[in-house]
Amino acid sequence: MKNFVFISPNFPMTYWKFCRELCNNGIRVLGIGDSPYDDLMQELKDSLHEYYKVSSLENYDEVFRAVAFFTFKYGKIDWLESNNEYWLMQDAALRTEFNITTGPKNDDIDKIKYKSVMKKYYAKAGLPTARYHLVESLEDALDFAHMVGYPVVVKPDNGVGANNTFKLTCDGDVEWFIREKDEAVYIMEEFVKGYVQTYDAIIGSQGQPLFESGNITPNSLMDIVNDNGDCIYFLVKDLPENILDAGHRTVEAFGVKSRFVHLEFFVLYEDQEGLGKKGDVLGLEVNMRPSGGYTPDMYNYSQETDVYKIWADMVAFDWNTKGTGNHHYCAYYGRRDFRRYKLDDYEVMMKYGDKMVMHGRIPEALSGAMANQMYVANFDTEAEMMQYYQDISATYET
């Protein structure tokens, strides 16, 4: 029996489904988390062979001892995974120390964690990326901004999501950033005139895609977080050929094997000197885990499937035994509590209830990026989806 250590199996909130499907495939699932056992969902308890509580998942020594205990009790650990960007480096360190070969180790981490290092692998895939500079001082930051022109974007070179990501539009903004920034290493990039489209996939041990999807974010996640904007994104009904090609080349260039991936690309709105023509695809960043929030469930609704099972099938059999059904656009809209919308919750559900697949409150930990109240609906045409977005976003604000 394979031994699988799942780090933080109770957060994000839907990850117990990964454990359930591993268990259903005959794998011994060993959980490590900082929540009391009694606080776990019953469905998660039923999926775990054993659970080891640590006082904090931030305490590496405690987590190390938990893995050592499981190794002593059950034998060699075959897999260790959190499927969570936040624990990516810790996961790699634990795999290195316990010689777990089914995921990235310390030697592999730079290319999948540091945005500056990712760029050379995108180049290997034949994809251009925005010019960049690692910020050291006000002088060099201003020199780079003047060279590429405003606006520029700054973010931690090793960061999660859109946290501490800023668009700077003038010298004064750069001076403010240098004055206020923390001690992290920041990357400054030229601003790309494009929208973000992703290639999301479950990749087998030979680099073969077992499931493929992707989303488009019409408004920037950076702006959502910084400006308290509503959250809008949707899963495409079918991936366009240019994104499929970029995704496949990126998987090969990064040497991805046996993982869920969320690869981000820019698609240019217009010609941009030094980057490409309108419609060209540029590399943005790679994420070696599923897309965040409720997106895994949206994959399921969009393609009438179960990605939790497909991922567990990859672990157990290196194949997809589930398949997919009809494809749909799956549209997420996150509303902010402080806005006055023309359609209240009842009216939204009366109008779109037959299309709605998810509806409810967003946990506080996710509300910065995903807003406070979510509505997720399936549509068969892009026109229907755009009407939905127009109706649900209308406010009384001027």
Side-chain angles (χ1 to χ4, degrees), residues 60-224:
Y60 180 80
D61 289 341
E62 275 196 273
V63 180
F64 176 91
R65 286 196 296 272
V67 180
F69 170 77
F70 284 146
T71 302
F72 173 77
K73 187 170 181 179
Y74 298 107
K76 179 170 172 54
I77 305 302
D78 299 291
W79 288 75
L80 183 146
E81 187 59 75
S82 65
N83 275 340
N84 192 319
E85 184 81 12
Y86 191 79
W87 305 117
L88 195 66
M89 297 183 77
Q90 180 172 269
D91 291 350
L94 291 166
R95 291 192 199 100
T96 302
E97 298 218 56
F98 289 93
N99 193 28
I100 301 167
T101 59
T102 48
K105 295 184 177 182
N106 284 341
D107 290 347
D108 305 312
I109 205 68
D110 284 4
K111 69 182 180 184
I112 61 176
K113 193 61 180 169
Y114 293 95
K115 296 173 178 63
S116 57
V117 182
M118 292 175 191
K119 290 178 181 289
K120 68 177 69 173
Y121 289 89
Y122 271 125
K124 184 179 176 182
L127 294 167
T129 57
R131 288 174 289 179
Y132 77 99
H133 173 74
L134 293 178
V135 176
E136 295 181 358
S137 68
L138 174 61
E139 182 180 9
D140 66 76
L142 287 172
D143 285 347
F144 176 80
H146 293 162
M147 179 183 74
V148 300
Y150 288 110
V152 292
V153 175
V154 287
K155 51 193 172 184
D157 193 32
N158 172 15
V160 178
N163 294 327
N164 294 328
T165 300
F166 306 99
K167 182 164 69 174
L168 310 179
T169 61
C170 62
D171 287 0
D173 286 352
V174 176
E175 291 166 1
W176 166 85
F177 167 73
I178 294 295
R179 185 171 61 250
E180 299 295 331
K181 79 179 188 70
D182 56 29
E183 294 301 311
V185 175
Y186 279 79
I187 184 172
M188 179 179 285
E189 296 178 300
E190 65 181 313
F191 185 79
V192 176
K193 299 172 183 177
Y195 62 89
V196 176
Q197 179 155 7
T198 72
Y199 172 81
D200 299 0
I202 298 172
I203 304 296
S205 68
Q206 303 304 309
Q208 77 276 23
L210 305 180
F211 168 82
E212 297 176 300
S213 182
N215 68 62
I216 290 178
T217 306
N219 55 352
S220 165
L221 182 60
M222 170 181 64
D223 294 334
I224 293 167

Side-chain angles (χ1 to χ4, degrees), residues 6-113:
F6 205 111
I7 306 293
S8 186
N10 61 309
F11 187 86
M13 68 297 297
T14 61
Y15 275 22
W16 65 270
K17 298 177 184 179
F18 287 122
C19 298
R20 177 191 63 194
E21 297 305 328
L22 289 172
C23 180
N24 288 342
N25 280 347
I27 292 174
R28 181 185 287 123
V29 188
L30 307 166
I32 301 175
D34 52 16
S35 295
Y37 180 76
D38 288 344
D39 290 351
L40 303 182
M41 294 176 59
Q42 187 60 48
E43 293 90 342
L44 176 56
K45 292 179 183 178
D46 293 342
S47 304
L48 296 176
H49 188 83
E50 188 167 348
Y51 179 73
Y52 191 114
K53 182 191 177 301
V54 294
S55 63
S56 171
L57 286 170
E58 302 276 1
N59 186 324
Y60 180 80
D61 289 341
E62 275 196 273
V63 180
F64 176 91
R65 286 196 296 272
V67 180
F69 170 77
F70 284 146
T71 302
F72 173 77
K73 187 170 181 179
Y74 298 107
K76 179 170 172 54
I77 305 302
D78 299 291
W79 288 75
L80 183 146
E81 187 59 75
S82 65
N83 275 340
N84 192 319
E85 184 81 12
Y86 191 79
W87 305 117
L88 195 66
M89 297 183 77
Q90 180 172 269
D91 291 350
L94 291 166
R95 291 192 199 100
T96 302
E97 298 218 56
F98 289 93
N99 193 28
I100 301 167
T101 59
T102 48
K105 295 184 177 182
N106 284 341
D107 290 347
D108 305 312
I109 205 68
D110 284 4
K111 69 182 180 184
I112 61 176
K113 193 61 180 169

